[in-house]
Amino acid sequence: MKLRAVCLAVLVVSAGWSAIGLRQIRGLDPGSSDAEIATHMDAVLDHAMQRYSIAGVAAGVIRDGELVWQAREGRSDGEGAPVTDATAFNLGSVSKPLAVWTVLSLAQDGLIDLDAPLSTYDLPFEPDYGEHAPDAVTVRRLLQHTAGTNQPGYGGWGAHEEQPVDAVDLSENFAPLRVAYQPGENRRYSGGGFVLLQMLVETVTGADFDTAARQRVFDPLGMTNSGFDASRLPTVSQAFNYYRQPIEDLRDVALTAAGGYASGGDIERFLLAHLDGGGVLIDDSLEQAFAPTDPNPHFAMSYSRWETPAGILIGHGGNNSSWNGQIYIQPETGDGYYFLTNATSGAQLDFDLSCAWLGLMESEDGAARCDEAVSLTRQLAWVSWGVAAVGLFWAYWLVAGGVAGKRVVTLRPTGRGPLRLSGRLFLAFLTFAVTLFLIWMFWTNSVIWRTETIFIDEVPVDELEGLSIAVTSLFAILTLCLWSSPKPRR
């Protein structure tokens, strides 16, 4: 009876602890003052960095075209160098808006025709069009993710891995690029389509993509700490794992899809340029960049489009290896927000920091996105508690049997023959394998994203860790139960 009371108390306390620990959204009120915005965002960021073990972050809030909050927190390398205004972060898919601006700048000068088929240009690589008409794959559709190309995203390559030489080698041998869907029919997010744009820019300019982007976008906007070649940048942050330990950065070959770098200060300049083109794009080009696509009006040229009472809010997120980021801008009002991180768990900021700012925008789309994200974290938290409760039940069964003198754990258990032995061996092996995997993923300096696996969108690493511990514990307890036997009667 005492053991049952203890188990019941553990269940009640753990349920309460789980309820207290459920992730909450602390959104800003639309009428918040500049000072209230800064105070609120500081508090949310401080909490998030501690809870989610984030190494470094650059973030900011723009209101009416003016910066009202800016954060440069944490460290950018293993020696403890601080994140500064010049620290460049890998952008992941936030690279795509920069690629859009590069292509539109070339279109303004007549070097690219947005409505011309890609096959018009003599690229070093031609995708497999299959049964689809090449004329339907236009530059505009590639920008809008409606050209029907495959390859939604790409992983990076570590120094120890066989690597593609360039974008052509990538598209031919490592991640075959083709037109898999009817062009113009649906919007299908495709990093592969942006790799074709990378080849297009290099073909029409005769320069590598980094040089073309610098000449067309970065230099005119004063983005001196940005580029698509990290070796040319003065200060680049290291990547960090879930426990703030430096890890190997991966090489991106699909530059336009996910290989850009920028500092927090440069992202601020880029967002402000969305208000008037920044001397890079004319009004007509901006309108085309932000215009809704025919198949899906919630998206523009790679940007997402959300309705708000004050106008359209456009944005783009990026998740790449241990890099995470998000940008939002409302061109009509000059309101914007961004964050960049260098840590595996940096995507957690999208739950807390981004959703805090989105409260200002009163966007139903933004609220739905945040509710969905928080709902996922809560579901994982309660599933973890349920798995742990099952583990507690079997632990009670084993311990109660031992206390009562009815069961004993032994290396030579007696019982139901080969089937029971098979179960014991299977669970023992499974427990060992799962434990090794979790140690590799959470407690080593390994990168949890590999060439073959891409985690797109936000991954609730904190809750995933809790679930992993609960599952491993359950397996271990079940293994002990199966390796127990009824105690022989004397």
Side-chain angles (χ1 to χ4, degrees):
M1 291 299 295
K2 290 181 180 179
L3 185 59
R4 291 177 184 175
V6 170
C7 290
L8 180 61
V10 170
L11 281 175
V12 172
V13 171
S14 62
W17 184 265
S18 296
I20 293 173
L22 292 177
R23 207 177 289 212
Q24 306 292 326
I25 289 295
R26 296 185 291 160
L28 279 160
D29 184 84
S32 299
S33 67
D34 293 352
E36 289 171 334
I37 291 173
T39 299
H40 186 88
M41 298 299 280
D42 276 334
V44 173
L45 178 59
D46 289 344
H47 174 266
M49 288 195 70
Q50 292 302 317
R51 175 169 180 176
Y52 310 129
S53 210
I54 295 167
V57 61
V61 170
I62 298 169
R63 199 177 205 187
D64 297 327
E66 299 291 335
L67 189 68
V68 297
W69 176 72
Q70 185 185 74
R72 305 287 185 264
E73 300 290 340
R75 57 197 179 101
S76 62
D77 65 23
E79 302 300 320
V83 172
T84 69
D85 204 47
T87 302
F89 294 77
N90 180 272
L91 299 175
S93 289
V94 178
S95 306
K96 292 183 177 70
L98 293 167
V100 169
W101 278 55
T102 303
V103 172
L104 290 177
S105 172
L106 291 167
Q108 286 177 175
D109 290 348
L111 296 176
I112 291 177
D113 182 349
L114 297 180
D115 295 307
L118 183 70
S119 57
T120 302
Y121 300 91
D122 186 22
L123 302 188
F125 169 83
E126 183 176 35
D128 177 8
Y129 289 98
E131 61 184 14
H132 307 292
D135 287 353
V137 179
T138 64
V139 177
R140 187 183 301 276
R141 284 177 172 170
L142 289 169
L143 290 166
Q144 296 175 334
H145 296 286
T146 61
T149 49
N150 66 337
Q151 298 300 342
Y154 296 90
W157 278 265
H160 62 285
E161 297 176 300
E162 183 181 0
Q163 302 188 22
V165 175
D166 52 25
V168 174
D169 188 24
L170 169 70
S171 303
E172 288 179 342
N173 303 311
F174 285 77
L177 184 53
R178 59 192 177 87
V179 180
Y181 313 99
Q182 180 59 44
E185 190 172 278
N186 292 296
R187 182 190 185 273
R188 298 178 186 273
Y189 190 82
S190 175
F194 269 67
V195 169
L196 292 174
L197 292 172
Q198 177 179 328
M199 297 181 199
L200 173 62
V201 169
E202 292 179 341
T203 298
V204 301
T205 63
D208 62 85
F209 189 82
D210 177 72
T211 299
R214 285 175 181 275
Q215 294 173 347
R216 291 282 167 173
V217 179
F218 298 141
D219 290 347
L221 294 181
M223 298 173 66
T224 56
N225 298 295
S226 301
F228 286 87
D229 183 348
S231 67
R232 299 184 184 180
L233 299 176
T235 308
V236 179
S237 174
Q238 285 186 274
F240 292 82
N241 70 359
Y242 184 66
Y243 287 100
R244 301 176 183 162
Q245 297 300 310
I247 55 178
E248 173 195 7
D249 197 5
L250 302 184
R251 171 177 174 254
D252 292 292
V253 181
L255 300 180
T256 47
Y261 288 80
S263 66
D266 281 0
I267 287 295
E268 291 166 4
R269 296 177 181 88
F270 182 54
L271 288 178
L272 289 171
H274 284 66
L275 307 185
D276 58 8
V280 173
L281 298 183
I282 60 177
D283 289 344
D284 180 63
S285 295
L286 286 176
E287 290 176 6
Q288 293 186 71
F290 307 154
T293 63
D294 290 334
N296 193 328
H298 288 290
F299 296 94
M301 285 186 176
S302 201
Y303 295 97
S304 60
R305 300 177 80 254
W306 291 348
E307 296 281 351
T308 76
I312 295 296
L313 177 67
I314 62 173
H316 209 296
N319 305 91
N320 198 31
S321 263
S322 293
W323 308 95
N324 300 272
Q326 182 73 52
I327 61 171
Y328 291 109
I329 189 70
Q330 193 169 62
E332 293 91 340
T333 64
D335 293 334
Y337 159 83
Y338 73 93
F339 82 85
L340 305 172
T341 67
N342 57 12
T344 296
S345 54
Q348 310 305 293
L349 284 177
D350 233 7
F351 295 122
D352 294 10
L353 199 62
S354 296
C355 290
W357 177 80
L358 283 170
L360 290 171
M361 297 293 100
E362 299 182 280
S363 167
E364 293 183 3
D365 294 315
R369 178 181 181 274
C370 292
D371 289 344
E372 181 180 0
V374 173
S375 176
L376 172 62
T377 67
R378 293 176 178 176
Q379 290 171 20
L380 283 173
W382 284 119
V383 169
S384 300
W385 180 84
V387 171
V390 173
L392 181 63
F393 169 80
W394 286 109
Y396 164 77
W397 179 84
L398 182 62
V399 174
V403 170
K406 296 180 179 180
R407 299 198 70 80
V408 61
V409 177
T410 174
L411 291 176
R412 296 176 61 86
T414 60
R416 300 169 186 170
L419 182 62
R420 187 177 175 90
L421 177 61
S422 299
R424 288 195 295 263
L425 293 174
F426 173 75
L427 269 181
F429 172 77
L430 186 61
T431 301
F432 182 71
V434 170
T435 302
L436 285 182
F437 171 76
L438 294 172
I439 290 173
W440 172 77
M441 189 168 79
F442 285 105
W443 289 284
T444 74
N445 289 345
S446 300
V447 181
I448 67 172
W449 282 287
R450 306 311 307 163
T451 306
E452 301 83 2
T453 305
I454 303 172
F455 289 162
I456 300 219
D457 297 324
E458 295 71 23
V459 180
V461 181
D462 201 55
E463 286 76 12
L464 189 63
E465 182 196 30
L467 179 60
S468 71
I469 294 172
V471 169
T472 305
S473 300
L474 175 61
F475 282 153
I477 292 168
L478 285 176
T479 300
L480 285 174
C481 289
L482 280 176
W483 283 82
S484 69
S485 299
K487 195 170 184 178
R489 294 181 180 180
R490 293 181 178 177

